[in-house]
Amino acid sequence: MTRQVKQLDRVIIRFAGDSGDGMQLTGDRFTQDTAAFGNDLSTLPNFPAEIRAPAGTMAGVSSFQVHFADHDILTPGDAPDVLVAMNPAALRANLGDVPRGATIIVDTHDFSARNLAKAGYTENPLTNGTLTQFRVHAVDLTTLTVEAVKEFGLTRKDASRAKNMFALGLLSWMYGRPTEPTTEFLTTRFGAKPTLRDANVTAFRTGWNFGETTEAFAVTYEIKPAAMPSGRYRNVTGNAALAFGLIAAGQQSGLPVFLGSYPITPASDILHELSKHKRFGVTTFQAEDEIAGVGAALGAAFGGALGVTTTSGPGVCLKSETLGLAVMLELPLLVCDIQRGGPSTGLPTKTEQSDLLQAMFGRNGEAPLPIVAPRSPADCFDATLEAVRIAVTYRTPVMLLSDGSLANGSEPWLLPDVADLAPIDPDFATAPNARADDGGGSFLPYLRDEDTLARPWAVPGTPGLMNRVGGLEKADRTGDISYDPDNHDLMVRTRQAKVDVIARSLPPTEVDDPGAELGRGARMLVVGWGSTYGAIGAAVRRVRRDRRQVAQVHLRHLNPLPPDLGEILARYDRVVVPEMNLGQLALLLRGRYLVDALSHTQVSGMPFKAAPLADVLRGHLRQLDGQPAVQHSERHPAAGVPA
Amino acid sequence: MTAVDLPGPVLARDGLADVPTSDDTQTRKDYASDQEVRWCPGCGDYIVLNAVQGFLPDLGLRRENIVFVSGIGCSSRFPYYLDTYGMHSIHGRAPAIATGLAITRPDLSVWVVTGDGDALSIGGNHLIHALRRNVNLTILLFNNRIYGLTKGQYSPTSETGKVTKSTPLGSVDRPFNPVSLALGAEGTFVARTIDSDRAHLTEVLRAAASHRGTSIVEIYQNCPIFNDGAFDAFKDKNSREATVISLRHGEPVRFGPDGALGVTRDSVTGSMRVVEVADVGESALVVHDAAADDPSSAFALSRLTDAGALQQSPIGIFRQVEQPTYDDLARQQVATAQGTEGAGDSAGLAALLAGTDTWTVA
Ligand code: SF4
């Protein structure tokens, strides 16, 4: 049989099935194999908060989308080119996202009347014409898998569970993925259970062979490796990169890392990852609650460790009193908030950027703390190092704002050269810093460094520097309790000033405005922060493909904001701020710079998609041209543009 | 999920074994900070502060290796008055903060100063978990059975029916017995003492400091402003003999004028009660075993404290057992990982970052 090999520059595949079907693992393996092949990629896992929602229902559908390409890409992609649906519910839950003409591979095994009903179908979509606009491959993957692994004598249930590997094998064949990494992976994973190992490897191979030998699949696809900067790569999730950043920060500062944490989605994987790396002097403490997690981290920081706590929005609420104490004590402390949909318990497994104002202001009194936000999964590594640099240098709690999509999403990471990582100097106080009345040395725990306004970090065990700190207002210099009105005024302003001076250490803001150097810069600037970097970048690229000018700035530092930002904002006629909240950064920019920042918001628990976001930007550009914002052909439900 | 046997717990070591000692002779003055002490006149806190400043020199530790961490409340001002390292933290959280410090710094003697509201109300969760983990801390729980700093509301140890500003018709909730609570959490060192008995206070504090693991000492502390006389039954020279049930490890529990009273165990329920020794004979008395692994007897003894106005209460060390401490074991896991895999260095970091699946783009 001659096969047609079609060249593609990029593909988006979504694996969808029941929570128990192993879709996250399948997606993850496809991603690893794709990374090994050398494509650029970006992923979006999407799963329910329930561990095992009722099987076969819409509530139980779990999916994993991977976007890979022969060029550099920024997002997990808007709409899948291929949907793999392992049951009726997975089909129904995802069909709305699948564009006409796309390929759908369906496991027909569960399309019984009962299971169709569970998914809310009254008729069988495979036979009633629902799918005529798609290229459908309806295959009983389950039965094929059970047949293939018969020889291993597994129960029918165990045998059918290998169907995800069958599907993976089939897709691997279609897209020319290497098979060795997955075979190796399965061998290690099921090493202790040889029958399961053999069954899974066999299912995987059979899936591959099924593609090879069945005429149904007439085409295979080739996506050439991407031309990426040279170097050594791995694939990494945001949570793993953050954990590695903490370990690296410990090494670069020479401080033992102490993580005090209480399990919470989507932050727990950082606790899991760190707990595996004790040889780097990392201590992980699973506390009795969120408050104890941050309290223990602060206690460790008092003792001279790199104190860290990891959490999500609800946990930040509980920690806020301790953060206020850390602001008063002026000790280094890192709080990693892996944001999720809120308020309250909200959407534990979905993403949102709605804790920005909580991070800024969510404490009693004037209690400023620096905020750093990573922009992509791999960037979580660098952002963590930057947050630790600020915490240690300025003796302050720092909030690192990641989110669910960064935490679980992954991308290729050009591995840093460890020798190039900047050192972080804890600069512990070791000697008196003042003269006592009797002429001897004395120690003033709140005497500040002139440049950084940081106070000395004198840890217990240091002779001669014994001092008492606490949450009551401190007298300037001595740190004694003080109720003096002028002193309080001074200290409040000084704590703010200490955060403000961090701005001096920030590099110039990168403005992506290709025409600017030739004097033909854009009139409109898009400003974002955090995980929206990819989607905004992709939307900006789309707009530029229309030969329209648009500039992009993506903020890493939310507090303090970069010193040149006001001047940059003032250069543009229009500033648009897309956020996965109701306009929190826009509020800050408006308040700080009196700039008419226009908010574009989405709080669906899902990341922005590039196409609708590009439409929003186009609408703004038309408005700048004096035309109505919305063209009929572009109207999209998620693309609200201010009139 | 599986469980593993933890290797070689560190036992039979003094709680201060890793804390460097001082060559200088210290005096009480070395431990007094330059801050003016600001409790109300006659407050029991003064006596405890004096006792602590008086006995710390005997420990012979380097002052800079001692840390007092407190929460919020009258007694939580304690750290300001001691010339050691100290932190006056936030309400109820001192055990959590001290836990992080103790895990990372075995070379410190870490003390927690807390009160009945701080430890048992807002901070109850941290207290029981510190006890459960057995972190190497010494917790001084000043129990005055009232909220002093907020000016006189009832506390979680106030007797039912307590009339206060917030309970003009009498409080309707039952009080905690701090010793019962600590024993319920299987605290490895649980004691009670009283501010007016300096010798006993000092003796108990010394034992608590050298216990490896979490020691908790409930200190009956009089608040002359808002709850004066709450512990008078144990202070009055005439009544004291009959109200203080003195606990001594290895000795029969016997008290009262001429040792006329004692404690026996009900053979059916296991609960303890006070009897006339003349009625039962000395051999029927319970012999106090603070070192018993099972905390049941200690718990039964703790129930002899009145829930209402205090007329009788056991004073002394209820339980003192050796068990692995959380912080020793946690540090041991780090040390073991470093021993078997090698301490993490920059080559190790590079290998960690790379993981097992890398590819190279030329
Ligand atoms: S209110 Fe009571 S406990 Fe507080 S300082 Fe005054 S006497 Fe002592």
Side-chain angles (χ1 to χ4, degrees), chain A residues 331-352:
Chain A
L331 285 171
L333 179 72
L334 182 62
V335 184
C336 307
D337 174 6
I338 317 302
Q339 301 165 94
R340 65 192 216 185
S344 187
T345 311
L347 304 172
T349 59
K350 309 295 177 195
T351 197
E352 215 163 273

Side-chain angles (χ1 to χ4, degrees), chain B residues 53-173:
Chain B
Q53 285 173 338
F55 108 97
L56 281 177
D58 300 348
L59 293 181
L61 304 175
R62 292 172 64 151
R63 260 190 313 146
E64 61 268 23
N65 288 73
I66 301 175
V67 182
F68 279 80
V69 182
S70 65
I72 294 293
C74 292
S75 58
S76 286
R77 295 293 180 98
F78 210 87
Y80 288 118
Y81 307 137
L82 283 167
D83 197 12
T84 63
Y85 281 90
M87 186 197 295
H88 177 214
S89 77
I90 44 178
H91 210 8
R93 315 304 171 200
I97 292 169
T99 293
L101 182 61
I103 294 171
T104 46
R105 293 293 304 272
D107 60 326
L108 302 179
S109 169
V110 183
W111 298 68
V112 169
V113 176
T114 182
D116 41 325
D118 195 55
L120 301 173
S121 203
I122 195 166
N125 198 31
H126 307 306
L127 181 76
I128 57 175
H129 286 278
L131 290 162
R132 168 178 77 84
R133 291 193 185 100
N134 199 30
V135 185
N136 198 13
L137 303 173
T138 304
I139 302 176
L140 308 184
L141 195 168
F142 291 58
N143 182 9
N144 56 13
R145 306 191 84 190
I146 199 76
Y147 282 133
L149 192 66
T150 50
K151 302 200 167 86
Q153 301 81 6
Y154 80 113
S155 92
T157 56
S158 297
E159 61 277 20
T160 306
K162 185 94 177 164
V163 174
T164 71
K165 277 182 197 149
S166 61
T167 50
L169 305 180
S171 61
V172 297
D173 35 350

Side-chain angles (χ1 to χ4, degrees), chain A residues 35 228 230-231 233-234 251 277-279 285 288-289 291 295-296 299 303 460-462 465 467-471 480-481, chain B residues 35 64 79 83-88 93 96-97 100 105 125-126 133 326 338 341-342 344-345 352-353 358-359 361:
Chain A
M228 292 157 76
S230 63
Y233 286 81
R234 68 169 285 171
Q251 296 269 300
H277 305 299
K278 298 194 192 302
R279 79 181 183 102
F285 171 66
E288 59 271 25
D289 58 27
I291 300 171
T462 316
L465 307 190
N467 68 91
R468 277 65 56 191
V469 292
D480 293 342
I481 299 171
Chain B
Q35 301 294 299
E64 61 268 23
D83 197 12
T84 63
Y85 281 90
M87 186 197 295
H88 177 214
R93 315 304 171 200
I97 292 169
R105 293 293 304 272
N125 198 31
H126 307 306
R133 291 193 185 100
Y326 180 96
Q338 292 178 330
E341 304 161 36
D345 53 10
L352 171 72
L353 301 189
T358 61
W359 69 96
V361 174

Side-chain angles (χ1 to χ4, degrees), chain B residues 38-45 74-75 144 146 148-149 221-226:
Chain B
R38 288 202 186 148
W39 289 304
C40 309
C43 177
D45 291 355
C74 292
S75 58
N144 56 13
I146 199 76
L149 192 66
Q221 174 244 318
N222 191 41
C223 168
I225 306 296
F226 295 110

Side-chain angles (χ1 to χ4, degrees), chain A residues 146-440:
Chain A
V146 171
E147 283 296 314
V149 304
K150 223 180 196 164
E151 56 176 299
F152 304 109
L154 296 173
T155 62
R156 198 184 153 77
K157 192 164 159 240
D158 277 346
S160 67
R161 287 186 65 173
K163 68 185 172 190
N164 62 334
M165 287 301 117
F166 188 101
L168 180 63
L170 176 58
L171 271 289
S172 299
W173 170 79
M174 279 176 78
Y175 292 95
R177 305 292 97 182
T179 55
E180 301 77 25
T182 288
T183 313
E184 255 173 52
F185 168 84
L186 291 171
T187 308
T188 321
R189 174 158 174 145
F190 295 111
K193 295 175 182 161
T195 17
L196 283 182
R197 176 196 63 202
D198 295 344
N200 276 284
V201 171
T202 303
F204 178 61
R205 293 227 177 93
T206 313
W208 173 284
N209 294 338
F210 181 75
E212 180 88 6
T213 52
T214 314
E215 308 224 345
F217 298 93
V219 192
T220 65
Y221 300 91
E222 189 172 74
I223 301 94
K224 295 231 158 67
M228 292 157 76
S230 63
R232 203 159 156 236
Y233 286 81
R234 68 169 285 171
N235 192 49
V236 75
T237 64
N239 272 350
L242 197 158
F244 296 152
L246 291 172
I247 293 169
Q251 296 269 300
Q252 296 311 104
S253 62
L255 301 174
V257 176
F258 179 92
L259 173 71
S261 184
Y262 187 76
I264 186 170
T265 304
S268 304
D269 280 341
I270 305 168
L271 167 63
H272 305 160
E273 186 66 39
L274 280 178
S275 64
K276 292 189 284 197
H277 305 299
K278 298 194 192 302
R279 79 181 183 102
F280 289 94
V282 175
T283 303
T284 52
F285 171 66
Q286 183 175 315
E288 59 271 25
D289 58 27
E290 295 279 0
I291 300 171
V294 68
L298 183 61
F302 181 69
L306 178 55
V308 184
T309 189
T310 49
T311 188
S312 188
V316 177
C317 298
L318 288 163
K319 294 180 197 296
S320 48
E321 189 191 15
T322 310
L323 296 184
L325 176 64
V327 167
M328 279 304 240
L329 300 185
E330 304 193 37
L331 285 171
L333 179 72
L334 182 62
V335 184
C336 307
D337 174 6
I338 317 302
Q339 301 165 94
R340 65 192 216 185
S344 187
T345 311
L347 304 172
T349 59
K350 309 295 177 195
T351 197
E352 215 163 273
Q353 298 182 294
S354 43
D355 296 349
L356 175 58
L357 294 183
Q358 180 184 27
M360 278 295 291
F361 302 119
R363 292 162 295 284
N364 64 306
E366 296 286 355
L369 50 77
I371 304 169
V372 175
R375 58 169 60 176
S376 73
D379 187 46
C380 287
F381 180 81
D382 296 321
T384 301
L385 280 167
E386 169 65 355
V388 172
R389 175 191 75 86
I390 292 173
V392 171
T393 309
Y394 296 88
R395 322 296 199 208
T396 175
V398 174
M399 188 83 78
L400 183 69
L401 285 182
S402 176
D403 67 30
S405 67
L406 295 177
N408 294 313
S410 65
E411 65 175 348
W413 176 27
L414 175 57
L415 291 169
D417 187 340
V418 169
D420 293 344
L421 299 176
I424 298 168
D425 182 7
D427 191 21
F428 290 122
T430 52
N433 58 1
R435 196 170 287 274
D437 296 341
D438 64 7

Side-chain angles (χ1 to χ4, degrees), chain A residues 419-612:
Chain A
D420 293 344
L421 299 176
I424 298 168
D425 182 7
D427 191 21
F428 290 122
T430 52
N433 58 1
R435 196 170 287 274
D437 296 341
D438 64 7
S442 79
F443 181 62
L444 298 174
Y446 279 75
L447 187 68
R448 293 172 191 281
D449 179 276
E450 277 176 20
D451 290 333
T452 61
L453 300 181
R455 76 176 192 92
W457 191 6
V459 302
T462 316
L465 307 190
M466 277 83 80
N467 68 91
R468 277 65 56 191
V469 292
L472 285 168
E473 183 59 285
K474 305 266 145 309
D476 184 32
R477 298 162 62 91
T478 64
D480 293 342
I481 299 171
S482 168
Y483 301 112
D484 178 74
D486 291 339
N487 177 74
H488 178 57
D489 191 87
L490 172 74
M491 293 301 275
V492 168
R493 290 175 199 281
T494 304
R495 286 186 287 265
Q496 180 65 51
K498 187 176 78 163
V499 172
D500 292 342
V501 298
I502 296 168
R504 284 192 217 144
S505 71
L506 306 184
T509 303
E510 274 177 44
V511 185
D512 175 23
D513 188 356
E517 276 180 25
L518 306 169
R520 290 200 301 272
R523 291 176 63 201
M524 183 170 97
L525 173 70
V526 189
V527 183
W529 67 280
S531 70
T532 54
Y533 172 69
I536 295 174
V540 163
R541 280 186 193 176
R542 282 167 188 253
V543 173
R544 286 179 186 158
R545 260 183 252 144
D546 307 343
R547 304 191 163 279
R548 294 299 312 254
Q549 308 262 44
V550 58
Q552 184 187 2
V553 158
H554 208 76
L555 299 175
R556 150 158 300 191
H557 296 93
L558 283 313
N559 195 32
L561 289 162
D564 54 358
L565 185 61
E567 179 267 318
I568 293 168
L569 294 175
R571 271 190 243 151
Y572 292 88
D573 295 335
R574 180 165 287 219
V575 175
V576 180
V577 187
E579 288 178 271
M580 297 189 293
N581 57 44
L582 293 184
Q584 301 192 4
L585 175 64
L587 183 76
L588 295 177
L589 295 180
R590 282 170 165 257
R592 172 76 192 268
Y593 301 107
L594 293 177
V595 58
D596 186 18
L598 299 172
S599 214
H600 172 68
T601 61
Q602 171 183 312
V603 278
S604 58
M606 297 298 286
F608 280 119
K609 289 182 173 178

